[in-house]
Amino acid sequence: MRFTAVNKSCHSVSETSASPSSHTDLGTLPVWRLDDLYPGTDSAEFKADLAKAQEMSLAFETKWKGRLEKAAHNEGEQGLGGALSDFEALEDLLGKIGSYAGLYYYKDMTNPASGKFFGDVQAKITDLAAHLLFFTLELNRLDDAVIDAAIARDPATAHYKPWLVDLRKDKPHQLDDKIEQLFLEKSQTGASAFNRLFDETLASLKFDVDGVSQTLEPTLNMLQDANPATRQKAAEALSKTFRDNIRIFVLVTNTLAKDKEISDRWRGFDDIADSRHLSNRVERPVVDALAAAVKDAYPRLSHRYYAMKAKWLGMETMNFWDRNAPLPESSDRLIRWDEAKDTVLSAYGNFAPEMAEIAARFFEGGWIDAPARPGKAPGAFAHPTVPSAHPYVLVNYLGRPRDVMTLAHELGHGVHQVLAGDQGALMCQTPLTLAETASVFGEMLTFRALLDKTSDTRERKAMLAQKVEDMINTVVRQIAFYDFERKLHTARKEGELTAEKIGELWLSVQGESLGPAIKVSEGYETWWAYIPHFIHSPFYVYAYAFGDCLVNSLYAVYQNADSGFQQKYFELLKAGGTKHHSELLAPFGLDATDPAFWSKGLSMIEGLIDELEALDKAG
């Protein structure tokens, strides 16, 4: 149930009182208008929905608990379809409440009132979820034949067939009702509490660069500065602050890895990543084939590219803080917000007007929070909320070209979430492996549109290099992250891990993936500490590589398609979580179980490196 784990707060004022932030160089940056959800944390509307959720949860338990087998033999409102419809309505309402609390909190995670509001709402939702927990457990105790007969007999039940089929996959790992309830209620003081500790610690960190104290986002942004001295100072500031706070990050990591091991052991998962594969509805051999293909390609991709880049920067080997340094050909011009908006919407519109129209709603409706400010969640995300509302996008926009690509990425998620919303609260959620499809495709559309308009050789080289780096970050870096997680969770089974041991594991995978052209020196051993995916969604990271390779193959189909691609693409997005990846990719002639599929996706990155090398020789 999504509403039991909202990860993404607090004056009792209307959200409409917030005004857009202005930066003289970037233009007017928008902030969220959360009053589309509720006018304020203490508003009558919010309190009424919380009371309504409690009433509906108790009524649902009274009406359906212990009666699902009988309902499976009925039709209409008294049948299984009626129960599923009632459950979906609760999922939407509780999801709306939880989304509001999460989004409010992520605007300023250092505000104690925000944290209290978020924590109190999470606790209330968990309490209510305890009354609903029986539903999926009781459904999975019904014989398959009973479920199949209900689907065949009752159209209302048949509507939810994809969700029921998906639910049955969890059956082998389902525990006794009382144990499941204990796991649910204890999560408030277990994993959820340590997730919040990580978030608030990260948001409160300060990094001193030349006497100026700043937060994480602007400090990371300095690693893209053209001045090597600036990059080094930023890296040293990051290393120092991570090192000074490493005990907290080590504690959080050890605790959550052990928490996961306990859960996996009780649920009978064989491999440390099998629970993630199950939630992603992807088979372990498919992920293993992806990881093996990427690791095999390290020398042809990252090792080769970084050796070229070191030469361009006039270095024999780059320091780890030079990895994302701009090329000499790169422009240092800041991209204003309006230009970034027009760039993305134009690229989307050239592909399909409907795509641009949906993306434009985010700009027009206050669905984007763009300024980088103290206390705000770092990074970027698109939060779907619930089908009865609309998604929200968070970015930390600093005017760099990568920020434009990040905007294109998150808006791709947003478009996907809007389109999938028609599937309803139970079936709109896309597995993580496919959730990255629209985001990476949106990036690719934006990049190709910009590249096609560029005739200057030096500018083209800079753009290609940036795209290659982004793809290496998405594919190579994420598979290295996945490898690191596998090593960390395996080692944790033998006992608590020290900061030194975690650092060793981190450096081993970084050295292997980056190659000999990058010097992984002292200070970098703590940089695992700020990666939120390790904390919030263990083993999530391979989904980025999955999505990038999938999109590379998908884009190749698009380039060679005569017509009809857009329609098939929108059908893929609209499907939400109702179809397996094999069903969704079949219309494009793609098969993720074929080892050649991953080679095809990786070959596009290699082709861009070939083009860069040719430009270099020509220059």
Side-chain angles (χ1 to χ4, degrees), residues 208-502:
D208 192 302
V209 183
D210 282 340
V212 177
S213 180
Q214 56 192 28
T215 55
L216 179 63
E217 283 294 335
T219 311
L220 288 172
N221 188 56
M222 292 173 72
L223 297 174
Q224 301 177 46
D225 196 276
N227 187 337
T230 300
R231 298 197 297 269
Q232 182 174 353
K233 289 175 184 177
E236 290 172 349
L238 289 161
S239 295
K240 181 182 185 305
T241 298
F242 293 153
R243 184 172 59 250
D244 291 346
N245 293 273
I246 202 65
R247 289 180 61 190
I248 296 176
F249 293 113
V250 169
L251 173 62
V252 170
T253 299
N254 270 293
T255 302
L256 290 176
K258 184 62 178 178
D259 183 82
K260 185 180 186 304
E261 186 271 326
I262 293 169
S263 177
D264 285 354
R265 176 160 36 88
W266 275 78
R267 295 187 182 282
F269 287 107
D270 295 328
D271 183 80
I272 51 177
D274 275 352
S275 59
R276 175 61 62 198
H277 302 334
L278 178 65
S279 67
N280 282 347
R281 300 309 188 234
V282 65
E283 300 73 25
R284 191 200 305 171
V286 173
V287 179
D288 289 346
L290 164 64
V294 173
K295 291 181 75 172
D296 185 61
Y298 283 173
R300 306 193 307 274
L301 301 180
S302 50
H303 297 188
R304 179 186 171 203
Y305 173 75
Y306 289 133
M308 292 167 57
K309 182 171 184 177
K311 185 185 71 172
W312 296 334
L313 294 177
M315 304 175 179
E316 286 191 18
T317 57
M318 292 187 290
N319 297 294
F320 67 82
W321 55 78
D322 297 318
R323 186 171 56 84
N324 288 321
L327 298 188
E329 293 86 350
S330 300
S331 169
D332 60 358
R333 179 179 69 89
L334 289 178
I335 301 168
R336 290 173 60 83
W337 178 254
D338 284 347
E339 183 182 348
K341 169 186 172 181
D342 293 343
T343 297
V344 176
L345 292 182
S346 175
Y348 279 21
N350 288 337
F351 173 72
E354 181 184 356
M355 192 170 177
E357 185 275 321
I358 295 172
R361 297 181 208 168
F362 286 77
F363 295 97
E364 297 161 0
W367 301 3
I368 303 176
D369 195 293
R373 58 179 180 268
K376 179 181 174 181
F381 64 76
H383 183 55
T385 71
V386 290
S388 64
H390 59 74
Y392 283 90
V393 160
L394 179 145
V395 295
N396 281 274
Y397 190 80
L398 295 167
R400 300 286 186 182
R402 277 195 173 92
D403 295 329
V404 180
M405 291 300 163
T406 298
L407 180 62
H409 180 102
E410 299 305 337
L411 285 173
H413 277 308
V415 169
H416 194 174
Q417 291 159 357
V418 168
L419 290 170
D422 287 343
Q423 297 292 347
L426 292 184
M427 296 184 291
C428 65
Q429 298 177 77
T430 306
L432 294 179
T433 41
L434 291 167
E436 294 301 330
T437 303
S439 55
V440 179
F441 196 83
E443 274 191 85
M444 183 64 80
L445 289 173
T446 304
F447 166 71
R448 289 293 181 180
L450 290 172
L451 191 67
D452 288 345
K453 293 192 299 185
T454 304
S455 56
D456 181 80
T457 302
R458 288 171 59 85
E459 188 177 346
R460 186 177 182 88
K461 178 182 174 182
M463 289 181 63
L464 280 168
Q466 181 179 299
K467 184 58 179 174
V468 167
E469 288 182 21
D470 288 344
M471 295 172 99
I472 288 174
N473 286 338
T474 304
V475 178
V476 171
R477 186 166 168 80
Q478 301 304 323
I479 289 301
F481 282 178
Y482 176 63
D483 195 20
F484 167 69
E485 286 190 279
R486 291 198 64 87
K487 290 184 176 184
L488 185 146
H489 282 262
T490 299
R492 179 63 179 91
K493 290 183 177 183
E494 305 302 319
E496 282 212 12
L497 303 176
T498 63
E500 291 73 22
K501 181 59 179 178
I502 298 175

Side-chain angles (χ1 to χ4, degrees), residues 8 13 23 66 117 126 128 142 181-182 197 206 216 254 319 330 343 359 364 372 389 410 416 470 486 549:
K8 302 283 185 243
V13 296
H23 189 292
F117 176 66
T126 302
L128 296 181
L142 299 181
Q181 184 168 350
L182 179 63
L197 173 62
K206 292 291 187 287
L216 179 63
N254 270 293
N319 297 294
S330 300
T343 297
E364 297 161 0
E410 299 305 337
H416 194 174
D470 288 344
R486 291 198 64 87
C549 289

Side-chain angles (χ1 to χ4, degrees), residues 74-94:
N74 293 330
E75 298 179 24
E77 292 184 4
Q78 298 305 310
L80 212 51
L84 286 160
S85 178
D86 289 349
F87 186 70
E88 184 169 50
L90 268 165
E91 171 89 356
D92 194 278
L93 178 58
L94 287 169

